[in-house]
PDB file of all heavy atoms in Angstrom:
ATOM      1  N   ASP A 135    -108.793-126.783   6.482  1.00  0.00           N
ATOM      2  CA  ASP A 135    -108.948-125.814   7.649  1.00  0.00           C
ATOM      3  C   ASP A 135    -110.306-125.107   7.711  1.00  0.00           C
ATOM      4  O   ASP A 135    -110.456-124.259   8.491  1.00  0.00           O
ATOM      5  CB  ASP A 135    -107.839-124.886   7.524  1.00  0.00           C
ATOM      6  CG  ASP A 135    -106.465-125.619   7.658  1.00  0.00           C
ATOM      7  OD1 ASP A 135    -106.373-126.723   8.291  1.00  0.00           O
ATOM      8  OD2 ASP A 135    -105.444-125.098   7.118  1.00  0.00           O
ATOM      9  N   VAL A 136    -111.256-125.342   6.737  1.00  0.00           N
ATOM     10  CA  VAL A 136    -112.448-124.608   6.725  1.00  0.00           C
ATOM     11  C   VAL A 136    -113.465-125.451   7.559  1.00  0.00           C
ATOM     12  O   VAL A 136    -114.052-126.489   7.178  1.00  0.00           O
ATOM     13  CB  VAL A 136    -113.019-124.338   5.324  1.00  0.00           C
ATOM     14  CG1 VAL A 136    -114.288-123.661   5.430  1.00  0.00           C
ATOM     15  CG2 VAL A 136    -112.007-123.651   4.542  1.00  0.00           C
ATOM     16  N   PRO A 137    -113.872-124.945   8.728  1.00  0.00           N
ATOM     17  CA  PRO A 137    -114.646-125.777   9.609  1.00  0.00           C
ATOM     18  C   PRO A 137    -116.049-126.096   9.096  1.00  0.00           C
ATOM     19  O   PRO A 137    -116.553-127.210   9.371  1.00  0.00           O
ATOM     20  CB  PRO A 137    -114.789-125.026  10.946  1.00  0.00           C
ATOM     21  CG  PRO A 137    -114.103-123.675  10.655  1.00  0.00           C
ATOM     22  CD  PRO A 137    -113.462-123.767   9.313  1.00  0.00           C
ATOM     23  N   ASP A 138    -116.589-125.171   8.445  1.00  0.00           N
ATOM     24  CA  ASP A 138    -118.117-125.454   7.765  1.00  0.00           C
ATOM     25  C   ASP A 138    -118.017-126.605   6.853  1.00  0.00           C
ATOM     26  O   ASP A 138    -119.004-127.221   6.874  1.00  0.00           O
ATOM     27  CB  ASP A 138    -118.586-124.050   7.092  1.00  0.00           C
ATOM     28  CG  ASP A 138    -118.909-123.118   8.234  1.00  0.00           C
ATOM     29  OD1 ASP A 138    -119.119-123.445   9.351  1.00  0.00           O
ATOM     30  OD2 ASP A 138    -119.188-121.947   7.778  1.00  0.00           O
ATOM     31  N   LEU A 139    -116.968-126.803   6.106  1.00  0.00           N
ATOM     32  CA  LEU A 139    -116.935-127.970   5.235  1.00  0.00           C
ATOM     33  C   LEU A 139    -116.822-129.194   6.037  1.00  0.00           C
ATOM     34  O   LEU A 139    -117.529-130.179   5.669  1.00  0.00           O
ATOM     35  CB  LEU A 139    -115.650-127.867   4.249  1.00  0.00           C
ATOM     36  CG  LEU A 139    -115.643-126.607   3.439  1.00  0.00           C
ATOM     37  CD1 LEU A 139    -114.342-126.564   2.586  1.00  0.00           C
ATOM     38  CD2 LEU A 139    -116.970-126.607   2.445  1.00  0.00           C
ATOM     39  N   ARG A 140    -116.223-129.272   7.187  1.00  0.00           N
ATOM     40  CA  ARG A 140    -116.116-130.423   8.018  1.00  0.00           C
ATOM     41  C   ARG A 140    -117.483-130.773   8.604  1.00  0.00           C
ATOM     42  O   ARG A 140    -117.946-131.785   8.672  1.00  0.00           O
ATOM     43  CB  ARG A 140    -115.051-130.254   9.019  1.00  0.00           C
ATOM     44  CG  ARG A 140    -114.887-131.346  10.030  1.00  0.00           C
ATOM     45  CD  ARG A 140    -114.331-132.569   9.648  1.00  0.00           C
ATOM     46  NE  ARG A 140    -113.028-132.359   9.142  1.00  0.00           N
ATOM     47  CZ  ARG A 140    -112.361-133.396   8.536  1.00  0.00           C
ATOM     48  NH1 ARG A 140    -112.998-134.451   8.296  1.00  0.00           N
ATOM     49  NH2 ARG A 140    -111.199-133.217   8.031  1.00  0.00           N
ATOM     50  N   LYS A 141    -118.212-129.695   9.020  1.00  0.00           N
ATOM     51  CA  LYS A 141    -119.475-129.814   9.579  1.00  0.00           C
ATOM     52  C   LYS A 141    -120.474-130.437   8.556  1.00  0.00           C
ATOM     53  O   LYS A 141    -121.284-131.244   8.904  1.00  0.00           O
ATOM     54  CB  LYS A 141    -120.033-128.478  10.111  1.00  0.00           C
ATOM     55  CG  LYS A 141    -119.343-128.005  11.352  1.00  0.00           C
ATOM     56  CD  LYS A 141    -119.915-126.567  11.677  1.00  0.00           C
ATOM     57  CE  LYS A 141    -119.055-125.898  12.791  1.00  0.00           C
ATOM     58  NZ  LYS A 141    -119.530-124.632  13.072  1.00  0.00           N
ATOM     59  N   ASN A 142    -120.340-129.744   7.332  1.00  0.00           N
ATOM     60  CA  ASN A 142    -121.316-130.359   6.309  1.00  0.00           C
ATOM     61  C   ASN A 142    -121.036-131.803   6.082  1.00  0.00           C
ATOM     62  O   ASN A 142    -121.900-132.690   5.797  1.00  0.00           O
ATOM     63  CB  ASN A 142    -121.154-129.578   4.999  1.00  0.00           C
ATOM     64  CG  ASN A 142    -121.768-128.208   5.223  1.00  0.00           C
ATOM     65  OD1 ASN A 142    -122.392-127.907   6.152  1.00  0.00           O
ATOM     66  ND2 ASN A 142    -121.463-127.269   4.411  1.00  0.00           N
ATOM     67  N   LEU A 143    -119.813-132.268   6.138  1.00  0.00           N
ATOM     68  CA  LEU A 143    -119.390-133.636   5.828  1.00  0.00           C
ATOM     69  C   LEU A 143    -119.997-134.540   7.011  1.00  0.00           C
ATOM     70  O   LEU A 143    -120.557-135.528   6.711  1.00  0.00           O
ATOM     71  CB  LEU A 143    -117.806-133.820   5.876  1.00  0.00           C
ATOM     72  CG  LEU A 143    -117.358-135.255   5.644  1.00  0.00           C
ATOM     73  CD1 LEU A 143    -117.954-135.959   4.404  1.00  0.00           C
ATOM     74  CD2 LEU A 143    -115.838-135.210   5.713  1.00  0.00           C
ATOM     75  N   ASP A 144    -119.848-133.967   8.219  1.00  0.00           N
ATOM     76  CA  ASP A 144    -120.516-134.784   9.320  1.00  0.00           C
ATOM     77  C   ASP A 144    -121.985-134.914   9.217  1.00  0.00           C
ATOM     78  O   ASP A 144    -122.487-136.024   9.356  1.00  0.00           O
ATOM     79  CB  ASP A 144    -120.039-134.039  10.502  1.00  0.00           C
ATOM     80  CG  ASP A 144    -118.620-134.154  10.975  1.00  0.00           C
ATOM     81  OD1 ASP A 144    -117.956-134.856  10.376  1.00  0.00           O
ATOM     82  OD2 ASP A 144    -118.126-133.298  11.782  1.00  0.00           O
ATOM     83  N   VAL A 145    -122.596-133.877   8.731  1.00  0.00           N
ATOM     84  CA  VAL A 145    -124.154-134.027   8.588  1.00  0.00           C
ATOM     85  C   VAL A 145    -124.510-135.024   7.362  1.00  0.00           C
ATOM     86  O   VAL A 145    -125.269-135.837   7.460  1.00  0.00           O
ATOM     87  CB  VAL A 145    -124.692-132.583   8.206  1.00  0.00           C
ATOM     88  CG1 VAL A 145    -126.133-132.707   7.677  1.00  0.00           C
ATOM     89  CG2 VAL A 145    -124.565-131.628   9.429  1.00  0.00           C
ATOM     90  N   ALA A 146    -123.561-134.889   6.340  1.00  0.00           N
ATOM     91  CA  ALA A 146    -123.769-135.942   5.211  1.00  0.00           C
ATOM     92  C   ALA A 146    -123.593-137.314   5.665  1.00  0.00           C
ATOM     93  O   ALA A 146    -124.345-138.230   5.264  1.00  0.00           O
ATOM     94  CB  ALA A 146    -122.886-135.543   4.052  1.00  0.00           C
ATOM     95  N   ARG A 147    -122.616-137.494   6.499  1.00  0.00           N
ATOM     96  CA  ARG A 147    -122.339-138.800   7.013  1.00  0.00           C
ATOM     97  C   ARG A 147    -123.469-139.444   7.869  1.00  0.00           C
ATOM     98  O   ARG A 147    -123.862-140.595   7.780  1.00  0.00           O
ATOM     99  CB  ARG A 147    -121.053-138.957   7.804  1.00  0.00           C
ATOM    100  CG  ARG A 147    -119.746-138.960   6.855  1.00  0.00           C
ATOM    101  CD  ARG A 147    -118.447-138.934   7.681  1.00  0.00           C
ATOM    102  NE  ARG A 147    -117.379-139.111   6.679  1.00  0.00           N
ATOM    103  CZ  ARG A 147    -116.131-138.738   7.120  1.00  0.00           C
ATOM    104  NH1 ARG A 147    -115.852-138.077   8.254  1.00  0.00           N
ATOM    105  NH2 ARG A 147    -115.132-138.762   6.213  1.00  0.00           N
TER     106      ARG A 147
END
Side-chain angles (χ1 to χ4, degrees):
D135 297 332
V136 179
D138 287 343
L139 298 177
R140 174 75 56 196
K141 287 178 193 174
N142 291 348
L143 175 59
D144 293 341
V145 168
R147 284 181 174 155

